[in-house]
Amino acid sequence: MKYVRMPIEIESPEQMGYSNLKYNLTESSFSDFKFKDLNLNLNELILCYGDHVGNINLRKLIAKSAADTINENNVLVTAGAATALFIIATSLLEPNEEIVVMRPNYATNIETPRAIGAKIKFIDLKFEDQWLPNLNDIKSKISKNTKLLSITTPHNPTGAVLPKNLFYEIINLCEENNIYLLCDETYRDMSYVEKLPSAASISKKAISVCSLSKTFGLPGIRIGWLITQDENLFEKFLAAKEQIMICNSVLDEEVAKQFMQNKDSIYKDVMKKIKKHFEIVSSWIQSEPKLEWVEPQGGVVCFPRIKKTIKIDLEKFYKTLNSKHGTFVGPGHWFEQEKIYMRIGFGWPTTDELKAGLECISRALDESVE
Ligand SMILES: Cc1ncc(COP(=O)(O)O)c(C=O)c1O
């Protein structure tokens, strides 16, 4: 494995120190919950090694939220979606083997195959295509050597959601070509359009990945999961998990389990805030003459760009935005894109912080016109 630190991690708010960011619009999750707000009872918890697959009651809740056809034996609990993605990539790819993956993407979906030394063929998503892939383009990238096709929906950093027919066509394509589909559905619960089924519930070839970090603002408990109906594959993934970590933290799993028992009531409040913040960003973009976007269909991020007709000194823009206005976004290079693109996270900040941060982006743009 050739590990290289990714810009999105080196420049992340955790590494810069949250207190150094006045308006933090870099986050891709809902606001982090406080322990005391979760009303948990942990006193009887025994701090033993846990079930290697994951707490059984937690797995039952996850299976239920995925699909009727999924049961607890199809669910492997992992330390966040990030570990699930790592387990899948390292289990299914060898150096020089082929993966077809969307770009831009959540950086790990590209970087882990790269670290393995896999041959990567990109589905380069474009603003002009609403950040959606084209089936013929995907077909043209698949060869007899392809092992894995990797998609993300709802998508990070753009918020695009695959149309249902395309989603099914992609699954069929994987079955026809006998390749695995990795579907990163970390934002599945956060669709503003019709929620897609969990990919793993449709086909044995599809592996779904999800987590509590993004929609539910619980990144600190590091609980995610993968789902597959393929028993042999499941066994392989479990072997990988056991070699990496044996089992999850039982404390994290217990928090996750109790949280998921209450998830539906919390979810309503989450979506209320997301809707409100989406409207704020939407009206700001419409009134901001220097930016354009593809309206997100899910998630808590959008990926607008500076209009190509507007000449901005990009270095000056980001410097002014960060140093003078204390405002931070995810610049395009976090996602292997030009810096005219920026990811704006609107689910994490308070309403006042969001409004002030957006205003600062407008000011920094005005101050950086060439
Ligand atoms: C699409 C996507 N997948 C996976 C992850 C990893 O999330 P976690 O490991 O916190 O569950 C992220 C985090 O930003 C993400 O956006």
Side-chain angles (χ1 to χ4, degrees), residues 118-151:
K119 194 168 164 200
I120 305 179
K121 288 190 181 168
F122 289 110
I123 307 162
D124 276 310
L125 306 175
K126 293 189 190 68
F127 182 98
E128 290 72 17
D129 298 334
Q130 314 294 303
W131 298 116
L132 289 174
N134 165 310
L135 192 66
N136 286 332
D137 183 32
I138 301 176
K139 279 184 184 163
S140 74
K141 300 283 160 56
I142 290 177
S143 78
K144 61 179 181 355
N145 300 320
T146 307
K147 287 277 152 49
L148 185 61
L149 170 62
S150 168
I151 61 171

Side-chain angles (χ1 to χ4, degrees), residues 77-83 106 211-214 218-225 245 248-249 252-253 256:
V77 180
T78 56
T83 309
Y106 170 61
S211 116
L212 287 182
S213 299
K214 301 288 148 183
L218 292 176
I221 58 167
R222 308 307 301 133
I223 291 288
W225 55 88
M245 55 198 285
N248 283 84
S249 147
D252 290 2
E253 288 190 330

Side-chain angles (χ1 to χ4, degrees), residues 183-220:
C183 186
D184 183 341
E185 37 191 65
T186 295
Y187 291 95
R188 179 167 171 258
D189 279 320
M190 262 194 182
S191 299
Y192 320 149
V193 290
E194 190 193 348
K195 185 160 116 178
L196 289 172
S198 188
S201 70
I202 299 168
S203 165
K204 263 190 150 184
K205 281 280 156 203
I207 309 150
S208 294
V209 168
C210 197
S211 116
L212 287 182
S213 299
K214 301 288 148 183
T215 306
F216 297 106
L218 292 176

Side-chain angles (χ1 to χ4, degrees), residues 44-174:
E44 293 304 317
L45 181 69
I46 301 171
L47 298 174
C48 55
Y49 282 116
D51 180 327
H52 292 193
V53 183
N55 176 304
I56 178 114
N57 293 320
L58 174 60
R59 284 190 281 126
K60 281 184 181 164
L61 289 161
I62 293 169
K64 197 163 151 231
S65 73
D68 292 344
T69 48
I70 295 298
N71 66 51
E72 63 275 18
N73 299 322
N74 306 134
V75 177
L76 182 69
V77 180
T78 56
T83 309
L85 297 175
F86 184 84
I87 288 174
I88 296 162
T90 52
S91 302
L92 296 182
L93 291 171
E94 301 278 344
N96 297 317
E97 285 187 341
E98 279 182 28
I99 173 173
V100 177
V101 59
M102 285 175 163
R103 177 172 61 184
N105 211 322
Y106 170 61
T108 298
N109 279 320
I110 296 174
E111 195 54 40
T112 305
R114 201 175 264 150
I116 292 168
K119 194 168 164 200
I120 305 179
K121 288 190 181 168
F122 289 110
I123 307 162
D124 276 310
L125 306 175
K126 293 189 190 68
F127 182 98
E128 290 72 17
D129 298 334
Q130 314 294 303
W131 298 116
L132 289 174
N134 165 310
L135 192 66
N136 286 332
D137 183 32
I138 301 176
K139 279 184 184 163
S140 74
K141 300 283 160 56
I142 290 177
S143 78
K144 61 179 181 355
N145 300 320
T146 307
K147 287 277 152 49
L148 185 61
L149 170 62
S150 168
I151 61 171
T152 301
T153 185
H155 187 250
N156 179 2
T158 66
V161 175
L162 286 181
K164 202 169 175 182
N165 59 339
L166 181 56
F167 178 67
Y168 277 91
E169 281 169 342
I170 290 174
I171 293 173
N172 285 341
L173 189 65
C174 289

